Amino acid sequence: MNKIYQIYQILYKKYGPQGWWPFINYEGTNENKQGSAQGYHPLDYSFPRDTDEVFEVCIGSILTQNTSFASVVKSLHALNSRAALRPKALKEMDPDTLKLAIRPSGYYNQKALYIREFLSFFEALDGAVPSRKELLAVRGIGEETADSILLYGYNQPEFIVDAYTKRILLELGMIDKKARYRDIKMFIQESLKKNIKDEKELLRVYQEYHALLVNHAKLFYSKKPYAKGCFLKEQFR
DNA sequence: AACCAGGACGTGA
DNA sequence: TCACGTCATGGT
């Protein structure tokens, strides 16, 4: 068993199933979940349950760029209260109203543009699963956002590498500080593939692992100096 | 009152 | 490719 998989086991045992992605209209979703051991919809992998929920993951993924998810939830509720958390309705919303609704998430001018660009792309898909390459061609969708959409919106086995992931692995001495997104992603994916042969299981691990890393990072890697009290670091260095 | 948050993009070396 | 500035609100 390699280190990457060991860390997963430890985090899962510690925090339990996280049940990402959070959906604002799902009763089990705890919006105030913050570094807790409580998941959003733990062990329920039936998500997203319809096209609107796929869309919600996409919009949420764009809005959460360099922004806390608590702020994103406000924006999603603002859209939802206007019945605009659906492609058709959102497309009919005028730009200024959209900006106002997503204002809590910051960068509202950019993100409003990104969302409008994504809308056209999403409608053209007509229910099909987008390729990673296609997603990356959409303005405002970079590697992390693309992987977020694919992993949680379309149940595709694409591991998400975010700032927390880099920070934790760097602190544990497992990656170089100059490591690129691709490098880290492949390192993690290849490590997990060596231990997990079942594709369905691999997908769930990708989904849970990223959620676990975020949860863990919120507890030990938010404020500098990082890793104070981190039990992973005590065990792996 | 700085500092950070579940990044992406444009620009000039 | 790479380093850096810009985008912005809200919580601690």
Side-chain angles (χ1 to χ4, degrees):
Chain A
M1 189 170 15
N2 57 56
K3 221 161 157 181
I4 287 292
Y5 191 54
Q6 282 183 56
I7 290 173
Y8 171 75
Q9 304 274 40
I10 293 170
L11 292 178
Y12 189 87
K13 187 174 182 182
K14 180 76 176 180
Y15 302 117
Q18 298 298 295
W20 273 33
W21 184 273
F23 293 91
I24 64 169
N25 285 326
Y26 180 66
E27 298 194 358
T29 299
N30 176 8
E31 291 163 15
N32 296 318
K33 176 183 184 303
Q34 190 85 359
S36 71
Q38 184 186 357
Y40 293 108
H41 43 81
L43 299 180
D44 184 348
Y45 298 109
S46 64
F47 296 87
R49 298 167 295 186
D50 54 37
T51 307
D52 287 345
E53 286 191 343
V54 173
F55 188 67
E56 184 177 337
V57 173
C58 298
I59 300 304
S61 295
I62 292 172
L63 288 177
T64 200
Q65 290 167 0
N66 204 34
T67 303
S68 70
F69 200 79
S71 296
V72 174
V73 168
K74 290 180 186 170
S75 299
L76 292 177
H77 275 300
L79 291 174
N80 193 47
S81 68
R82 297 170 180 277
L85 201 45
R86 291 171 293 130
K88 273 190 179 175
L90 192 50
K91 189 147 194 172
E92 290 167 6
M93 185 180 257
D94 78 275
D96 288 336
T97 309
L98 173 58
K99 287 182 184 179
L100 189 62
I102 67 172
R103 195 171 185 275
S105 313
Y107 309 106
Y108 58 85
N109 288 307
Q110 280 191 353
K111 286 176 180 175
L113 178 65
Y114 294 167
I115 286 172
R116 300 180 74 74
E117 298 246 346
F118 179 78
L119 267 169
S120 306
F121 172 77
F122 188 78
E123 289 196 322
L125 281 176
D126 195 29
V129 179
S131 72
R132 190 169 191 273
K133 193 172 180 179
E134 288 173 330
L135 281 168
L136 290 174
V138 179
R139 186 196 312 273
I141 298 185
E143 298 202 89
E144 183 182 336
T145 305
D147 287 336
S148 176
I149 289 172
L150 289 169
L151 184 63
Y152 295 117
Y154 290 95
N155 287 305
Q156 299 300 301
E158 302 284 351
F159 200 91
I160 301 169
V161 178
D162 68 339
Y164 285 147
T165 306
K166 293 177 197 166
R167 196 175 297 169
I168 291 175
L169 294 188
L170 184 62
E171 195 68 31
L172 296 179
M174 298 176 66
I175 59 171
D176 188 272
K177 59 178 173 294
K178 294 186 65 179
R180 312 172 71 76
Y181 186 99
R182 223 181 275 79
D183 304 331
I184 301 172
K185 176 177 176 176
M186 291 311 155
F187 169 55
I188 295 173
Q189 289 191 168
E190 294 309 312
S191 298
L192 293 175
K193 283 179 186 173
K194 287 176 184 169
N195 290 278
I196 304 164
K197 299 306 177 187
D198 181 63
E199 289 186 17
K200 201 77 176 178
E201 170 66 9
L202 190 63
L203 170 64
R204 300 314 174 201
V205 170
Y206 283 7
Q207 293 175 328
E208 291 290 358
Y209 204 162
H210 172 66
L212 287 164
L213 285 171
V214 173
N215 194 56
H216 182 69
K218 281 178 175 171
L219 290 173
F220 301 106
Y221 291 83
S222 289
K223 289 191 288 263
K224 294 184 212 179
Y226 298 135
K228 232 191 323 186
C230 170
F231 48 87
L232 289 178
K233 193 173 179 185
E234 292 170 6
Q235 182 165 346
F236 288 95
R237 296 210 70 169

